[in-house]
Amino acid sequence: MNKQLHESDSEMFRTAMGDVEPLAANRAEPYRERPPPIPRPQPADAEPEQPELLAESQVETHDYLLFARPGVQKRVVAELQRGRIEPELEVDLHGLRAAHARIVLTEFFADCRQRRVRCARIIHGKGRGSDSPQPVLKCKVNYWLRLRQDVLAFCSATRRDGGTGAVYVLLRNPDKDGTRRARR
């Protein structure tokens, strides 16, 4: 730098730096691993978050089923509706009683989790053999899927895969189970 400083500027700088001591080392400090974050303390009266309880009577079952959790991208739901996400596993609940169908469905989801399935198809039927005006299994499946935290979205299948008698189910990625892994 060839530019000369005025004497007043030089004097002002020396006054401001009067009590400054030079560093002992002229190297940067080596990289240190960051300590893990400390969770925020929760108030003593706060209860742990629990999923909202949903009554079966609160769930309306229309001819076409469509459900997506908050945060699921609209593009992904649209792909699911078009049948562009290929179901990797399917279960057929035709003709089963509701209690037995629920057991079969629970075992099916355990199998999906073990096989790391992202999209599945559940065939519940259209309820034409039912005595009630609404299809029983379709209503139950609509309700049960909303209760499961591993279900991100579901919708009625395309005509080639069963139409309104089946649903495509988008499942949570098992690698993103809520616990973050440390970067390496």
Side-chain angles (χ1 to χ4, degrees):
M1 193 165 136
N2 293 336
K3 190 174 181 183
Q4 296 291 324
L5 293 175
H6 281 69
E7 187 62 35
S8 62
D9 291 337
S10 186
E11 186 61 37
M12 190 180 343
F13 178 75
R14 280 190 219 102
T15 305
M17 297 292 137
D19 58 345
V20 175
E21 296 178 16
L23 294 172
N26 61 356
R27 289 184 173 204
E29 197 172 319
Y31 173 78
R32 283 187 279 154
E33 193 71 34
R34 287 184 179 176
I38 300 169
R40 291 183 189 156
Q42 296 290 326
D45 60 337
E47 295 179 25
E49 277 189 41
Q50 294 181 354
E52 272 188 43
L53 296 178
L54 184 65
E56 192 168 355
S57 61
Q58 292 176 305
V59 178
E60 289 185 38
T61 303
H62 301 286
D63 193 36
Y64 185 86
L65 299 179
L66 178 61
F67 171 80
R69 294 212 183 276
V72 177
Q73 296 177 358
K74 291 178 183 178
R75 178 188 55 80
V76 174
V77 175
E79 294 291 308
L80 187 67
Q81 287 180 288
R82 291 184 188 109
R84 295 213 177 120
I85 303 174
E86 193 66 33
E88 301 168 50
L89 210 55
E90 81 174 35
V91 64
D92 190 346
L93 304 177
H94 268 118
L96 299 180
R97 301 263 178 221
H100 187 237
R102 186 159 194 179
I103 293 167
V104 170
L105 203 56
T106 303
E107 291 171 356
F108 175 71
F109 282 120
D111 196 25
C112 286
R113 190 171 31 260
Q114 182 183 14
R115 294 181 187 202
R116 308 181 81 68
V117 170
R118 287 302 311 267
C119 182
R121 181 173 48 230
I122 299 172
I123 303 168
H124 49 68
K126 294 185 179 183
R128 294 200 175 119
S130 175
D131 294 334
S132 68
Q134 287 239 319
V136 175
L137 277 182
K138 183 175 186 173
C139 294
K140 295 286 187 185
V141 166
N142 184 22
Y143 174 64
W144 293 334
L145 292 179
R146 291 168 191 263
L147 294 178
R148 295 192 61 91
Q149 293 301 308
D150 56 345
V151 173
L152 294 177
F154 63 88
C155 66
S156 290
T158 58
R159 184 176 288 173
R160 74 170 190 268
D161 284 335
T164 58
V167 290
Y168 297 132
V169 181
L170 183 65
L171 298 169
R172 187 177 303 279
N173 186 342
D175 295 333
K176 298 180 180 177
D177 60 358
T179 57
R180 296 199 174 223
R181 297 193 177 123
R183 291 184 184 195
R184 294 174 199 188

